Amino acid sequence: MRVELDGTGLELDESYLDADEETIRAQVREYERGDRTAFDLSVAYPDSFTGRVMRAMSEIPYGETRTYGELAAALETSPVAVGQACGRNPVPLVVPCHRVVGADGSLVGFSGEGGVEQKRRLLAAEASGRQTELAAFE
């Protein structure tokens, strides 16, 4: 299903979410307004490496980031493999792949229509005006 977020489209594969379309859309709108910091949706994680990476991404708190390398170390794999799995995330935003950044804090890829610029907007919105965090994404 396609959802609109900050004027840009985002594809979510609702078959991975245990919720009806209206509930999913309502939670995305709440997130966009800043009224929601976590999605209350049950995710069916695949029984695969991508599923392991998705579970690790889902543990990254709102307003925080982790590097591909940090996730790779926790999963005993390579940062490149983590990046590839992030790109296969069927429910971006709900499973926050936008919170995964390069080793130097750089924004390297995002599967949403807006790409890195959309990722930048999501992280800036989550930073809630904390100037030190915002500066890292400029």
Side-chain angles (χ1 to χ4, degrees), residues 6 31-32 34 62-63 119-130 134 137:
D6 195 28
Y31 171 87
E32 184 175 30
Y62 181 92
K119 184 174 188 169
R120 182 182 326 280
R121 287 192 307 266
L122 291 170
L123 291 172
E126 289 188 10
S128 301
R130 290 175 276 175
L134 284 174
F137 303 110

PDB file of all heavy atoms in Angstrom, residues 6 31-32 34 62-63 119-130 134 137:
ATOM      1  N   ASP A   6       4.857  13.484   4.453  1.00  0.00           N
ATOM      2  CA  ASP A   6       5.587  14.721   4.211  1.00  0.00           C
ATOM      3  C   ASP A   6       5.667  15.045   2.724  1.00  0.00           C
ATOM      4  O   ASP A   6       6.704  15.442   2.209  1.00  0.00           O
ATOM      5  CB  ASP A   6       6.983  14.615   4.829  1.00  0.00           C
ATOM      6  CG  ASP A   6       7.692  15.956   4.946  1.00  0.00           C
ATOM      7  OD1 ASP A   6       7.011  16.993   5.066  1.00  0.00           O
ATOM      8  OD2 ASP A   6       8.936  15.966   4.906  1.00  0.00           O
ATOM      9  N   TYR A  31       2.273   9.767  13.232  1.00  0.00           N
ATOM     10  CA  TYR A  31       3.731   9.894  13.212  1.00  0.00           C
ATOM     11  C   TYR A  31       4.126  11.191  12.509  1.00  0.00           C
ATOM     12  O   TYR A  31       4.965  11.948  13.002  1.00  0.00           O
ATOM     13  CB  TYR A  31       4.363   8.680  12.510  1.00  0.00           C
ATOM     14  CG  TYR A  31       5.845   8.846  12.273  1.00  0.00           C
ATOM     15  CD1 TYR A  31       6.768   8.480  13.236  1.00  0.00           C
ATOM     16  CD2 TYR A  31       6.322   9.407  11.092  1.00  0.00           C
ATOM     17  CE1 TYR A  31       8.124   8.656  13.026  1.00  0.00           C
ATOM     18  CE2 TYR A  31       7.680   9.583  10.878  1.00  0.00           C
ATOM     19  CZ  TYR A  31       8.566   9.208  11.843  1.00  0.00           C
ATOM     20  OH  TYR A  31       9.908   9.401  11.643  1.00  0.00           O
ATOM     21  N   GLU A  32       3.516  11.443  11.356  1.00  0.00           N
ATOM     22  CA  GLU A  32       3.849  12.634  10.571  1.00  0.00           C
ATOM     23  C   GLU A  32       3.574  13.910  11.365  1.00  0.00           C
ATOM     24  O   GLU A  32       4.344  14.873  11.285  1.00  0.00           O
ATOM     25  CB  GLU A  32       3.055  12.633   9.268  1.00  0.00           C
ATOM     26  CG  GLU A  32       3.400  13.782   8.351  1.00  0.00           C
ATOM     27  CD  GLU A  32       2.666  13.677   7.024  1.00  0.00           C
ATOM     28  OE1 GLU A  32       1.554  13.138   6.982  1.00  0.00           O
ATOM     29  OE2 GLU A  32       3.232  14.148   6.025  1.00  0.00           O
ATOM     30  N   GLY A  34       3.770  14.188  14.521  1.00  0.00           N
ATOM     31  CA  GLY A  34       4.597  14.204  15.724  1.00  0.00           C
ATOM     32  C   GLY A  34       3.861  13.702  16.946  1.00  0.00           C
ATOM     33  O   GLY A  34       4.354  13.805  18.060  1.00  0.00           O
ATOM     34  N   TYR A  62      13.152   5.994  18.778  1.00  0.00           N
ATOM     35  CA  TYR A  62      12.781   7.233  18.092  1.00  0.00           C
ATOM     36  C   TYR A  62      13.807   8.312  18.424  1.00  0.00           C
ATOM     37  O   TYR A  62      14.201   8.482  19.576  1.00  0.00           O
ATOM     38  CB  TYR A  62      11.394   7.654  18.578  1.00  0.00           C
ATOM     39  CG  TYR A  62      10.842   8.889  17.955  1.00  0.00           C
ATOM     40  CD1 TYR A  62      10.052   8.816  16.818  1.00  0.00           C
ATOM     41  CD2 TYR A  62      11.058  10.135  18.526  1.00  0.00           C
ATOM     42  CE1 TYR A  62       9.502   9.948  16.241  1.00  0.00           C
ATOM     43  CE2 TYR A  62      10.520  11.285  17.952  1.00  0.00           C
ATOM     44  CZ  TYR A  62       9.745  11.178  16.817  1.00  0.00           C
ATOM     45  OH  TYR A  62       9.205  12.311  16.256  1.00  0.00           O
ATOM     46  N   GLY A  63      14.264   9.030  17.422  1.00  0.00           N
ATOM     47  CA  GLY A  63      15.195  10.135  17.642  1.00  0.00           C
ATOM     48  C   GLY A  63      16.649   9.711  17.739  1.00  0.00           C
ATOM     49  O   GLY A  63      17.527  10.549  17.931  1.00  0.00           O
ATOM     50  N   LYS A 119      14.841  10.580   4.014  1.00  0.00           N
ATOM     51  CA  LYS A 119      15.496  10.084   5.220  1.00  0.00           C
ATOM     52  C   LYS A 119      15.947  11.268   6.082  1.00  0.00           C
ATOM     53  O   LYS A 119      15.751  11.275   7.294  1.00  0.00           O
ATOM     54  CB  LYS A 119      16.685   9.204   4.827  1.00  0.00           C
ATOM     55  CG  LYS A 119      17.415   8.543   5.965  1.00  0.00           C
ATOM     56  CD  LYS A 119      18.470   7.583   5.418  1.00  0.00           C
ATOM     57  CE  LYS A 119      19.100   6.746   6.482  1.00  0.00           C
ATOM     58  NZ  LYS A 119      19.928   5.659   5.926  1.00  0.00           N
ATOM     59  N   ARG A 120      16.530  12.271   5.446  1.00  0.00           N
ATOM     60  CA  ARG A 120      16.995  13.459   6.154  1.00  0.00           C
ATOM     61  C   ARG A 120      15.825  14.147   6.878  1.00  0.00           C
ATOM     62  O   ARG A 120      15.930  14.519   8.035  1.00  0.00           O
ATOM     63  CB  ARG A 120      17.650  14.428   5.165  1.00  0.00           C
ATOM     64  CG  ARG A 120      18.222  15.691   5.799  1.00  0.00           C
ATOM     65  CD  ARG A 120      18.820  16.664   4.772  1.00  0.00           C
ATOM     66  NE  ARG A 120      19.447  16.039   3.613  1.00  0.00           N
ATOM     67  CZ  ARG A 120      20.672  15.501   3.585  1.00  0.00           C
ATOM     68  NH1 ARG A 120      21.399  15.490   4.668  1.00  0.00           N
ATOM     69  NH2 ARG A 120      21.150  14.978   2.477  1.00  0.00           N
ATOM     70  N   ARG A 121      14.696  14.277   6.182  1.00  0.00           N
ATOM     71  CA  ARG A 121      13.516  14.923   6.791  1.00  0.00           C
ATOM     72  C   ARG A 121      12.978  14.119   7.970  1.00  0.00           C
ATOM     73  O   ARG A 121      12.609  14.681   9.000  1.00  0.00           O
ATOM     74  CB  ARG A 121      12.418  15.134   5.745  1.00  0.00           C
ATOM     75  CG  ARG A 121      12.736  16.239   4.756  1.00  0.00           C
ATOM     76  CD  ARG A 121      11.527  16.623   3.914  1.00  0.00           C
ATOM     77  NE  ARG A 121      10.888  15.515   3.243  1.00  0.00           N
ATOM     78  CZ  ARG A 121      11.133  15.117   1.997  1.00  0.00           C
ATOM     79  NH1 ARG A 121      12.037  15.755   1.275  1.00  0.00           N
ATOM     80  NH2 ARG A 121      10.497  14.097   1.472  1.00  0.00           N
ATOM     81  N   LEU A 122      12.947  12.795   7.825  1.00  0.00           N
ATOM     82  CA  LEU A 122      12.458  11.953   8.915  1.00  0.00           C
ATOM     83  C   LEU A 122      13.350  12.083  10.149  1.00  0.00           C
ATOM     84  O   LEU A 122      12.861  12.245  11.272  1.00  0.00           O
ATOM     85  CB  LEU A 122      12.401  10.491   8.468  1.00  0.00           C
ATOM     86  CG  LEU A 122      11.346  10.141   7.429  1.00  0.00           C
ATOM     87  CD1 LEU A 122      11.569   8.727   6.908  1.00  0.00           C
ATOM     88  CD2 LEU A 122       9.949  10.298   7.989  1.00  0.00           C
ATOM     89  N   LEU A 123      14.655  12.031   9.943  1.00  0.00           N
ATOM     90  CA  LEU A 123      15.577  12.144  11.074  1.00  0.00           C
ATOM     91  C   LEU A 123      15.518  13.525  11.711  1.00  0.00           C
ATOM     92  O   LEU A 123      15.568  13.657  12.940  1.00  0.00           O
ATOM     93  CB  LEU A 123      17.005  11.808  10.625  1.00  0.00           C
ATOM     94  CG  LEU A 123      17.234  10.342  10.264  1.00  0.00           C
ATOM     95  CD1 LEU A 123      18.608  10.153   9.648  1.00  0.00           C
ATOM     96  CD2 LEU A 123      17.050   9.440  11.476  1.00  0.00           C
ATOM     97  N   ALA A 124      15.403  14.556  10.900  1.00  0.00           N
ATOM     98  CA  ALA A 124      15.311  15.913  11.441  1.00  0.00           C
ATOM     99  C   ALA A 124      14.034  16.077  12.260  1.00  0.00           C
ATOM    100  O   ALA A 124      14.052  16.679  13.337  1.00  0.00           O
ATOM    101  CB  ALA A 124      15.369  16.944  10.318  1.00  0.00           C
ATOM    102  N   ALA A 125      12.932  15.537  11.755  1.00  0.00           N
ATOM    103  CA  ALA A 125      11.668  15.628  12.493  1.00  0.00           C
ATOM    104  C   ALA A 125      11.779  14.880  13.823  1.00  0.00           C
ATOM    105  O   ALA A 125      11.305  15.364  14.859  1.00  0.00           O
ATOM    106  CB  ALA A 125      10.529  15.061  11.661  1.00  0.00           C
ATOM    107  N   GLU A 126      12.407  13.728  13.804  1.00  0.00           N
ATOM    108  CA  GLU A 126      12.570  12.962  15.043  1.00  0.00           C
ATOM    109  C   GLU A 126      13.514  13.644  16.015  1.00  0.00           C
ATOM    110  O   GLU A 126      13.406  13.475  17.218  1.00  0.00           O
ATOM    111  CB  GLU A 126      13.049  11.539  14.740  1.00  0.00           C
ATOM    112  CG  GLU A 126      11.978  10.684  14.095  1.00  0.00           C
ATOM    113  CD  GLU A 126      12.389   9.232  13.965  1.00  0.00           C
ATOM    114  OE1 GLU A 126      13.425   8.821  14.542  1.00  0.00           O
ATOM    115  OE2 GLU A 126      11.661   8.492  13.278  1.00  0.00           O
ATOM    116  N   ALA A 127      14.455  14.407  15.502  1.00  0.00           N
ATOM    117  CA  ALA A 127      15.403  15.091  16.385  1.00  0.00           C
ATOM    118  C   ALA A 127      14.720  16.177  17.206  1.00  0.00           C
ATOM    119  O   ALA A 127      15.280  16.661  18.183  1.00  0.00           O
ATOM    120  CB  ALA A 127      16.555  15.684  15.567  1.00  0.00           C
ATOM    121  N   SER A 128      13.523  16.573  16.804  1.00  0.00           N
ATOM    122  CA  SER A 128      12.698  17.523  17.558  1.00  0.00           C
ATOM    123  C   SER A 128      13.400  18.816  17.911  1.00  0.00           C
ATOM    124  O   SER A 128      13.284  19.316  19.023  1.00  0.00           O
ATOM    125  CB  SER A 128      12.155  16.862  18.828  1.00  0.00           C
ATOM    126  OG  SER A 128      11.384  15.746  18.510  1.00  0.00           O
ATOM    127  N   GLY A 129      14.189  19.313  16.973  1.00  0.00           N
ATOM    128  CA  GLY A 129      14.800  20.621  17.193  1.00  0.00           C
ATOM    129  C   GLY A 129      16.072  20.599  18.008  1.00  0.00           C
ATOM    130  O   GLY A 129      16.613  21.649  18.325  1.00  0.00           O
ATOM    131  N   ARG A 130      16.559  19.432  18.386  1.00  0.00           N
ATOM    132  CA  ARG A 130      17.819  19.370  19.118  1.00  0.00           C
ATOM    133  C   ARG A 130      18.935  19.711  18.145  1.00  0.00           C
ATOM    134  O   ARG A 130      19.309  18.904  17.304  1.00  0.00           O
ATOM    135  CB  ARG A 130      18.023  17.988  19.724  1.00  0.00           C
ATOM    136  CG  ARG A 130      17.041  17.757  20.875  1.00  0.00           C
ATOM    137  CD  ARG A 130      17.160  16.382  21.383  1.00  0.00           C
ATOM    138  NE  ARG A 130      16.312  15.563  20.498  1.00  0.00           N
ATOM    139  CZ  ARG A 130      16.224  14.257  20.571  1.00  0.00           C
ATOM    140  NH1 ARG A 130      16.935  13.601  21.439  1.00  0.00           N
ATOM    141  NH2 ARG A 130      15.430  13.593  19.768  1.00  0.00           N
ATOM    142  N   LEU A 134      20.518  17.783  14.720  1.00  0.00           N
ATOM    143  CA  LEU A 134      20.157  18.272  13.404  1.00  0.00           C
ATOM    144  C   LEU A 134      21.395  18.599  12.582  1.00  0.00           C
ATOM    145  O   LEU A 134      21.444  18.336  11.386  1.00  0.00           O
ATOM    146  CB  LEU A 134      19.285  19.516  13.501  1.00  0.00           C
ATOM    147  CG  LEU A 134      17.826  19.284  13.880  1.00  0.00           C
ATOM    148  CD1 LEU A 134      17.126  20.622  14.092  1.00  0.00           C
ATOM    149  CD2 LEU A 134      17.107  18.476  12.824  1.00  0.00           C
ATOM    150  N   PHE A 137      22.933  16.057  10.273  1.00  0.00           N
ATOM    151  CA  PHE A 137      22.236  15.644   9.068  1.00  0.00           C
ATOM    152  C   PHE A 137      22.170  16.751   8.023  1.00  0.00           C
ATOM    153  O   PHE A 137      21.445  16.656   7.076  1.00  0.00           O
ATOM    154  CB  PHE A 137      20.831  15.147   9.416  1.00  0.00           C
ATOM    155  CG  PHE A 137      20.868  14.013  10.407  1.00  0.00           C
ATOM    156  CD1 PHE A 137      20.430  14.183  11.703  1.00  0.00           C
ATOM    157  CD2 PHE A 137      21.402  12.793  10.041  1.00  0.00           C
ATOM    158  CE1 PHE A 137      20.494  13.149  12.603  1.00  0.00           C
ATOM    159  CE2 PHE A 137      21.462  11.754  10.936  1.00  0.00           C
ATOM    160  CZ  PHE A 137      21.021  11.931  12.226  1.00  0.00           C
TER     161      PHE A 137
END
